[in-house]
Amino acid sequence: MNDRIKISKRDFFKKAGAVTAGAVGASTLAMPYVRAQSPIKWRLQTYAGPALAEHVCKPAVDAFNKAANGEMVIEMYTADQLVPQGELFRAVQAGTLDAAQSDDDSAAAPVDVAVFGAYFPFASRYSLDIPTLWEWYGLKEIWQEAYSEVQGVTWLSAGSWDPCNFATTKPIRSVEDLKGLRVYMFPTGGRFMQRFGVVPVSLPYEDVQVAIQTGELDGICWCGITECYTVGWADVTKYYLTNNISGAWAGSFFANTEKWNAVPDHLKQLFQMAMDTSHYYRQHWYWWGEAHYRTTGGKYELTTIPGAEWKTVEDEAQKFWDDIASQSPRCAKVVKILKDYRETMEKAGPPYRYA
């Protein structure tokens, strides 16, 4: 009796082992090892030059590549490295690039709302205004609508950068001092400042510093003081005007639609998180830098146009807004949102707006 029981147990374990081994083999065949597959590879070009890209783009790309764990790899390229900035959007559309980080304005995005990218004059006072406008005042949905009309490119996410100030080789202490200055600027900001005699100049990003040194440019109105120090422009300009024409740059991430649709959902979510991380990093990096370099940088003489005189520039911006609103019903909708937002912030008072 006992021998029969022992034999039965022995047979049972033999049979169980055979079944288990078969199940493991079947499982192995049914689920290929992910690392054995070729990773998805993207080429992303940012509007920023090498020194600036180390802050505004690379940390997020590095974080994504690490978290993707070999399933996807993004190669980052800096301003004009693969295609000129003015051809950036078309390059994504054609599939020459898989993705881009840029403002709509300088990338020549073929949508009516592109004019609001980068520095739409006096649309924002602080960097937090940008995410608030996109996430809570409807600009996100408007951007999605606008880009849904463009084949080949998917708009992904917008965030804020630094304010837009003049850094020049000549001091600016009055509106009159702006006349005749040859300044590197974004397209829409340049169009607006032409009303005050500024001569906007378009150049490849990496040529700007030499152009200032040779006298081809009198300065830049492209960024805030953090970028001036980071990329070396503070070494070739002497004066920094504390009045800005916009409180924050509005920029976005774009992807080639076919390439984006081919990305698995979990990697899309991971990329969204990487973009959000990028937006967050810039919020605190620029907020720190704008105050830090004004107070301890040591390379600039700060100048200021008196408030009452600068108000003439702000008032002119309202006329500029109305001109833009007349370009399309969607532009009119955006301008209406900007006006409502400005009114809300002014009514709310400090810290949202100060008199």
Side-chain angles (χ1 to χ4, degrees):
M1 185 71 171
N2 289 337
D3 290 341
R4 284 198 297 272
I5 292 174
K6 290 179 181 178
I7 292 170
S8 297
K9 286 180 179 179
R10 189 180 300 113
D11 289 344
F12 170 78
F13 285 121
K14 282 182 179 179
K15 290 177 181 178
V19 171
T20 303
V24 171
S27 175
T28 303
L29 292 172
M31 296 182 63
Y33 188 46
V34 172
R35 283 295 187 87
Q37 298 176 349
S38 297
I40 299 168
K41 290 189 177 181
W42 269 19
R43 298 198 303 176
L44 179 153
Q45 182 170 305
T46 174
Y47 78 99
L52 186 65
E54 288 289 324
H55 288 279
V56 303
C57 193
K58 191 174 184 295
V61 170
D62 288 347
F64 175 87
N65 287 341
K66 184 176 182 179
N69 198 31
E71 292 184 64
M72 183 169 173
V73 176
I74 298 175
E75 297 174 350
M76 187 197 77
Y77 297 87
T78 56
D80 305 307
Q81 193 171 358
L82 295 182
V83 298
Q85 175 64 18
E87 299 174 17
L88 189 59
F89 190 91
R90 297 294 185 188
V92 175
Q93 195 171 37
T96 306
L97 294 168
D98 303 301
Q101 179 205 44
S102 178
D103 65 286
D104 325 58
D105 196 23
S106 67
V111 292
D112 50 3
V113 295
V115 70
F116 299 103
Y119 293 116
F120 192 64
F122 297 99
S124 61
R125 182 68 62 88
Y126 306 117
S127 60
L128 276 174
D129 291 338
I130 300 299
T132 303
L133 282 163
W134 258 261
E135 297 296 332
W136 299 99
Y137 278 76
L139 293 195
K140 178 179 179 179
E141 289 73 22
I142 291 174
W143 257 243
Q144 289 172 335
E145 175 191 87
Y147 283 97
S148 71
E149 299 169 3
V150 178
Q151 289 188 341
V153 176
T154 299
W155 174 85
L156 298 176
S157 180
S160 63
W161 274 251
D162 50 343
C164 186
N165 296 66
F166 283 87
T168 55
T169 58
K170 305 172 183 178
I172 302 171
R173 295 188 174 92
S174 71
V175 173
E176 185 69 21
D177 291 335
L178 295 169
K179 288 184 179 180
L181 290 180
R182 295 161 298 176
V183 181
Y184 178 60
M185 299 190 71
F186 285 92
T188 299
R191 279 173 54 196
F192 172 66
M193 291 310 299
Q194 281 181 307
R195 298 183 177 210
F196 300 93
V198 173
V199 180
V201 179
S202 177
L203 288 171
Y205 188 91
E206 290 302 303
D207 293 346
V208 171
Q209 187 159 339
V210 173
I212 296 172
Q213 290 173 303
T214 60
E216 183 180 352
L217 288 175
D218 296 309
I220 56 101
C221 188
W222 179 271
C223 59
I225 200 168
T226 307
E227 185 166 337
C228 287
Y229 274 86
T230 301
V231 306
W233 293 341
D235 297 325
V236 294
T237 51
K238 184 177 178 181
Y239 302 95
Y240 186 83
L241 181 66
T242 59
N243 313 78
N244 62 54
I245 68 169
S246 182
W249 190 80
S252 296
F253 285 87
F254 306 88
N256 175 275
T257 300
E258 183 179 349
K259 294 296 184 67
W260 177 249
N261 290 341
V263 173
D265 286 344
H266 70 288
L267 291 178
K268 285 180 180 176
Q269 186 62 51
L270 185 62
F271 192 68
Q272 181 65 59
M273 293 170 68
M275 290 186 291
D276 289 343
T277 297
S278 177
H279 298 329
Y280 173 65
Y281 179 94
R282 293 191 311 274
Q283 285 280 344
H284 59 74
W285 181 62
Y286 277 124
W287 189 253
W288 160 79
E290 296 306 306
H292 172 77
Y293 288 114
R294 282 194 188 194
T295 56
T296 65
K299 294 181 180 180
Y300 277 123
E301 178 181 332
L302 304 181
T303 64
T304 301
I305 296 175
E309 186 178 355
W310 187 247
K311 191 176 183 304
T312 63
V313 181
E314 293 189 23
D315 291 344
E316 188 64 30
Q318 295 302 297
K319 300 176 186 177
F320 184 78
W321 286 16
D322 291 338
D323 290 344
I324 297 299
S326 68
Q327 293 182 1
S328 75
R330 191 156 48 211
C331 284
K333 188 175 181 179
V334 174
V335 169
K336 175 66 164 55
I337 289 172
L338 293 178
K339 288 184 175 182
D340 289 346
Y341 179 75
R342 179 174 178 168
E343 183 179 352
T344 298
M345 295 297 106
E346 289 175 349
K347 284 182 178 179
Y352 297 95
R353 295 293 185 268
Y354 291 86

